Amino acid sequence: MAGVFKNVFGGASPSLAPAKPDDDFADFAGAPDPSPLSVASSAPSPAVSTPGVPSVPYTKWYRVWERTTPRDFLQEAFVLPFVILIFAFHFWGTRKNRSKARAWAQVHAPVLQNEFAVVGFSGIRKPITAEAVESEGLAQASVKSELIEPETLLKEKTAQDFQSYATGRQNVAFLDVSIKLLKRYNPIIFVMDHILSVIFDSWPQPVERFEATAYAFDGREKDLVPVPAGDTSSIKVPNSTYDGFIWAVVHKNHMRKFRQERYDASLTFTKDNSKLPSWVTVMSESAEITDHLLTPELSKAIEQAADAFEYLIITDQPVDKPTKIEETTPRKRVQISLRVPSSPSGYSATMPLFNLFLRLPDVLVSTAHFRPEVVRKLRNTREEEIRRIRKAEEEEKAEERKLAAEKLKKEERERALRNMSAEEQRKFLEREKEKEQRRLLKKNTRRA
């Protein structure tokens, strides 16, 4: 111990004697100095020398084909074909769906261009040349001046959903078209949908359809169409109003699902009509409406469409059941649903019906004005629904007020209990218990 203090306070320097054999670092005392190992000395075999090229030692690490065998890739060999098959099916499915959507656009583009000023999402027109006007006439040249490429007419929302749009027509604010094709891009879903639809009746059969909805102006042209600045007194706005009602022609295979999924269809009654084929039925609010709208041309077009026809509905009520008064505001529209044929030649059966659908708003504006008795019946149906919604809203508000009052009463009781002593709290709780027992006794006496 004395030697330690002596060294600390500047005593004699420690001895430089060699380490004893039992010191902690004795194992490293004789370790040689590190020196780089020659590559040539560690090579298992002589390097292959080539004139003008530096020698590289021979090792299997650089030669994958020598240290592996095909047996090492058995797992990948089983997985890779499935991956290739899925990717091939995906690319085939997306291309197939795009080709079917493009075929729809090529068939329907001329009809839409004849009826609407702007078709598609680009809104671009080709210039009309004097030569085209002289050879084909102004009307035909103006039709051909529009772009009819499918890329401008359609918008691909997903690999199975395509949309189109048109506007610029009298009595129609705008037209929405939705094309829903099969899920060919996913082989698992594609196969399972077909298998489950065969095994289970509740599983819907996968079909390809396109739905078109024409929204009526209903006298709101000034609100929906921008008017250029200046004197607008000379602009004559046509009267595009008509009575609101619900009327539909539905294929009987889709009738139950149609009534269950649509609130507006639940307000109608179903009745077969001798003017229509036996496989379709009419859903209407009044027989007089059917007499006005079911023309021989419409019956013939529905019969020609055959199984490609699903439904045609004229409505002013929402599809989903309204829960608020604002949702009952009439929004008049005409909607049609048709199946996509397997080949473009199949559109010849549905085109007459589609043409009648585009001109149906004009028929409504001119003929859909019914007798006061019919209008009163239609109005009563909608007012009854409004009263039901208003009653439900009042009950909901009354329940909220009741809960708020109970919450306030509970907070006041807890505040009063906190300000009482233990004896006062005991008496207060006993009075509450006696009051509750008297209330229950009185309630049981009334029941007896």
Side-chain angles (χ1 to χ4, degrees):
M1 181 67 68
V4 173
F5 282 101
K6 186 176 181 181
N7 293 335
V8 170
F9 292 102
S13 59
S15 175
L16 299 177
K20 296 181 180 180
D22 58 349
D23 287 345
D24 293 339
F25 296 96
D27 296 338
F28 304 97
D33 294 335
S35 59
L37 183 63
S38 174
V39 175
S41 63
S42 62
S45 60
V48 179
S49 60
T50 304
V53 179
S55 62
V56 179
Y58 175 82
T59 174
K60 286 188 177 182
W61 181 256
Y62 299 103
R63 302 170 182 263
V64 178
W65 57 90
E66 292 187 6
R67 61 186 176 90
T68 57
T69 61
R71 191 178 184 85
D72 297 331
F73 300 95
L74 286 178
Q75 186 175 1
E76 289 78 0
F78 282 109
V79 175
L80 189 59
F82 291 99
V83 174
I84 295 175
L85 180 62
I86 290 175
F87 274 96
F89 198 96
H90 172 79
F91 289 117
W92 169 83
T94 53
R95 291 187 61 182
K96 181 69 174 178
N97 284 352
R98 288 171 183 170
S99 64
K100 292 180 76 69
R102 190 178 297 107
W104 181 94
Q106 291 176 351
V107 173
H108 293 80
V111 179
L112 294 174
Q113 290 166 348
N114 287 335
E115 296 291 337
F116 294 90
V118 177
V119 179
F121 299 93
S122 63
I124 303 174
R125 289 173 177 265
K126 291 180 179 178
I128 304 176
T129 61
E131 293 78 6
V133 174
E134 291 178 359
S135 60
E136 302 177 357
L138 179 60
Q140 189 68 18
S142 62
V143 170
K144 289 188 175 181
S145 67
E146 299 184 9
L147 293 177
I148 60 174
E149 286 79 3
E151 290 74 13
T152 63
L153 182 61
L154 292 175
K155 178 182 290 185
E156 184 177 348
K157 189 176 181 181
T158 62
Q160 69 170 131
D161 295 335
F162 297 82
Q163 292 181 346
S164 185
Y165 174 83
T167 187
R169 188 188 189 278
Q170 186 176 356
N171 300 324
V172 178
F174 56 91
L175 175 75
D176 279 340
V177 180
S178 175
I179 305 173
K180 296 182 179 179
L181 305 176
L182 297 180
K183 298 180 180 179
R184 294 185 176 89
Y185 57 90
N186 192 322
I188 299 176
I189 298 178
F190 181 77
V191 174
M192 291 303 296
D193 282 344
H194 286 80
I195 294 177
L196 294 177
S197 63
V198 174
I199 298 175
F200 302 102
D201 294 336
S202 59
W203 194 272
Q205 182 181 3
V207 296
E208 297 179 317
R209 63 171 58 92
F210 70 92
E211 298 177 351
T213 305
Y215 294 87
F217 271 119
D218 195 24
R220 296 179 297 165
E221 284 85 350
K222 292 184 177 180
D223 299 332
L224 300 176
V225 180
V227 180
D231 185 13
T232 60
S233 58
S234 60
I235 300 177
K236 294 183 179 180
V237 179
N239 185 10
S240 60
T241 60
Y242 61 90
D243 296 334
F245 62 94
I246 303 171
W247 183 81
V249 182
V250 187
H251 198 291
K252 289 185 178 180
N253 292 342
H254 309 280
M255 183 176 60
R256 178 178 298 180
K257 181 181 178 182
F258 186 78
R259 183 179 289 276
Q260 291 176 351
E261 293 182 352
R262 296 187 64 113
Y263 161 77
D264 49 6
S266 64
L267 302 178
T268 63
F269 62 88
T270 305
K271 186 177 182 181
D272 292 344
N273 195 288
S274 59
K275 299 179 182 179
L276 291 170
S278 58
W279 42 269
V280 295
T281 187
V282 176
M283 305 177 72
S284 177
E285 294 182 277
S286 174
E288 183 175 336
I289 300 175
T290 305
D291 297 337
H292 277 76
L293 298 178
L294 191 56
T295 60
E297 293 79 9
L298 182 59
S299 302
K300 183 179 179 181
I302 293 175
E303 185 176 1
Q304 184 178 352
D307 290 338
F309 172 76
E310 290 189 348
Y311 65 84
L312 170 67
I313 183 172
I314 304 170
T315 180
D316 67 333
Q317 294 298 302
V319 176
D320 300 325
K321 190 173 184 179
T323 57
K324 298 180 181 179
I325 300 296
E326 297 78 9
E327 297 177 357
T328 60
T329 303
R331 195 179 186 189
K332 299 175 183 177
R333 60 199 184 277
V334 184
Q335 188 174 4
I336 190 173
S337 177
L338 298 169
R339 290 193 177 185
V340 177
S342 57
S343 62
S345 60
Y347 286 111
S348 58
T350 60
M351 286 305 298
L353 182 58
F354 188 76
N355 288 329
L356 289 176
F357 158 76
L358 294 178
R359 294 166 186 170
L360 196 54
D362 303 333
V363 178
L364 297 176
V365 172
S366 60
T367 62
H369 304 281
F370 309 110
R371 293 182 298 111
E373 294 79 3
V374 178
V375 176
R376 191 180 306 113
K377 179 182 177 181
L378 300 175
R379 188 185 304 114
N380 291 339
T381 303
R382 286 146 181 78
E383 289 177 353
E384 179 65 26
E385 188 64 24
I386 292 175
R387 284 194 293 268
R388 183 192 64 80
I389 297 175
R390 185 177 288 111
K391 182 179 179 181
E393 288 183 350
E394 291 176 355
E395 292 177 354
E396 184 178 356
K397 291 180 181 178
E399 184 68 20
E400 291 177 356
R401 289 194 296 267
K402 181 180 178 181
L403 294 176
E406 291 179 354
K407 183 179 179 180
L408 181 62
K409 184 177 179 181
K410 184 178 179 180
E411 291 176 354
E412 292 179 353
R413 175 180 176 276
E414 292 177 354
R415 190 182 304 109
L417 285 173
R418 285 196 298 268
N419 297 329
M420 295 180 185
S421 61
E423 183 64 21
E424 291 174 343
Q425 290 180 1
R426 185 182 63 79
K427 293 180 179 180
F428 180 82
L429 295 175
E430 288 180 354
R431 288 196 299 269
E432 277 190 346
K433 186 176 181 180
E434 292 175 358
K435 188 183 296 183
E436 183 66 19
Q437 290 177 352
R438 288 196 301 269
R439 187 182 68 81
L440 294 176
L441 181 61
K442 192 174 182 180
K443 185 176 181 181
N444 294 334
T445 305
R446 288 179 179 178
R447 288 182 178 178

